[in-house]
């Protein structure tokens, strides 16, 4: 195996497609979860007699649809890219998106350690995705 074989393994068209789908799916799912929490937080501010159950809130349903769409996207990403690339990029994106979305959507406090954590996760995800060898593709006859 030559020194540049890992570049070919990681950056094949299918891994790029799978990784891209995983990133988008993670963002959609995370925004959906944060929208659901935002809906709960807004409802908790109302007097008890004015609160509605979550199934009667449009913002909760939009958030739920985002979570479901994100999960389906994660599943679809595995059809294109290797599990190592999809899980590393999807998981890293989820964490980064949650740090940002929780701060803006739900006014959760942003700490300096969040920045360090995001940097560590990005470094780990990239390292994991780049150094993991690709799996050989099995055809119908091999199965």
């Amino acid at each position: 195996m030559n020194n540049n074989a890992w570049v070919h393994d990681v950056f094949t068209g299918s891994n790029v497609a799978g990784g891209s789908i995983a990133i988008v799916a993670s963002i959609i799912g995370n925004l959906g979860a944060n929208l659901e929490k935002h809906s709960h937080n807004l409802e908790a501010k109302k007097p008890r007699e004015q609160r509605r159950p979550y199934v009667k809130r449009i913002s909760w349903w939009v958030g739920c649809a985002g979570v479901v769409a994100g999960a389906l996207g994660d599943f679809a990403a595995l059809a294109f890219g290797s599990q190592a690339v999809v899980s590393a990029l999807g998981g890293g994106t989820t964490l980064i998106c949650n740090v940002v979305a929780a701060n803006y959507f739900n006014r959760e406090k942003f700490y300096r350690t969040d920045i360090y954590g995001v940097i560590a996760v990005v470094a780990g995800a990239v390292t994991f995705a780049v150094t993991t060898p690709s799996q050989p593709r099995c055809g119908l006859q091999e199965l």
Side-chain angles (χ1 to χ4, degrees):
M1 186 184 235
N2 66 32
N3 291 341
N4 294 329
W6 67 271
V7 173
H8 182 267
D9 286 347
V10 173
F11 296 107
T12 60
S14 61
N15 272 342
V16 171
S20 299
I21 293 168
I23 288 170
V24 171
S26 295
I27 291 169
I28 291 170
N30 193 274
L31 291 176
N34 274 285
L35 185 56
E36 286 178 327
K37 184 174 181 182
H38 183 68
S39 172
H40 290 307
N41 289 345
L42 288 177
E43 207 65 26
K45 292 178 182 177
K46 294 180 180 178
R48 194 172 276 295
E49 61 277 353
Q50 292 180 359
R51 294 182 189 169
R52 300 170 295 163
Y54 67 92
V55 295
K56 292 187 176 183
R57 292 184 242 148
I58 213 73
S59 60
W60 186 88
W61 282 107
V62 171
C64 183
V67 170
V68 170
L72 291 173
D74 285 337
F75 184 69
L78 290 171
F80 294 98
S82 69
Q83 184 177 1
V85 171
V86 168
S87 62
L89 292 177
T93 303
T94 297
L95 176 77
I96 294 166
C97 186
N98 193 55
V99 167
V100 174
N103 181 276
Y104 288 107
F105 264 116
N106 300 311
R107 302 290 178 223
E108 292 183 13
K109 199 165 184 178
F110 190 74
Y111 296 99
R112 184 178 313 149
T113 54
D114 294 337
I115 296 170
Y116 299 145
V118 165
I119 291 169
V121 167
V122 168
V126 168
T127 301
F128 188 75
V130 167
T131 60
T132 302
S134 65
Q135 297 286 340
R137 295 275 183 191
C138 296
L140 190 55
Q141 297 218 335
E142 288 90 6
L143 293 175

